[in-house]
Amino acid sequence: MSRDPEEVNKLTESTYKNVMDQFNPGLRNLVNLGKSYEKAVSAMALAGKQYFDAVSKIGENAAVSPVSRELGESWLMLFY
């Protein structure tokens, strides 16, 4: 049982349209998820740098203080 070419053409176009209608939203969602992931990683890297800078500053300040010089040296040894 062969189908008439017009019917095959309509079936092919319908299948293509259904695939594209389902594929495009999924692709858009994937792109949005990628952008969100990139923002999260950037924020995490910035937070890590700020944390490192703050801990380093604490260590530097403690190293200068005569009372807490030993503590400051310990901090500096941990992060340098």
Side-chain angles (χ1 to χ4, degrees):
M1 293 180 90
S2 66
R3 296 185 180 193
D4 126 46
E6 187 66 31
E7 184 182 352
V8 171
N9 186 36
K10 285 181 182 179
L11 182 62
T12 303
E13 286 180 357
S14 173
T15 302
Y16 178 76
K17 184 180 180 323
N18 286 338
V19 167
M20 290 307 293
D21 287 347
Q22 293 172 7
F23 180 74
N24 283 339
L27 184 59
R28 256 185 262 121
N29 189 29
L30 181 64
V31 169
N32 288 336
L33 287 172
K35 288 179 182 178
S36 296
Y37 177 78
E38 182 182 12
K39 286 180 185 178
V41 169
S42 294
M44 186 176 64
L46 179 61
K49 182 183 180 327
Q50 290 174 342
Y51 174 78
F52 176 81
D53 292 344
V55 170
S56 295
K57 189 70 175 170
I58 290 170
E60 289 169 2
N61 289 339
V64 177
S65 167
V67 175
S68 58
R69 182 175 308 276
E70 186 176 327
L71 176 61
E73 289 172 359
S74 298
W75 277 89
L76 288 173
M77 287 176 62
L78 284 174
F79 292 100
Y80 286 110

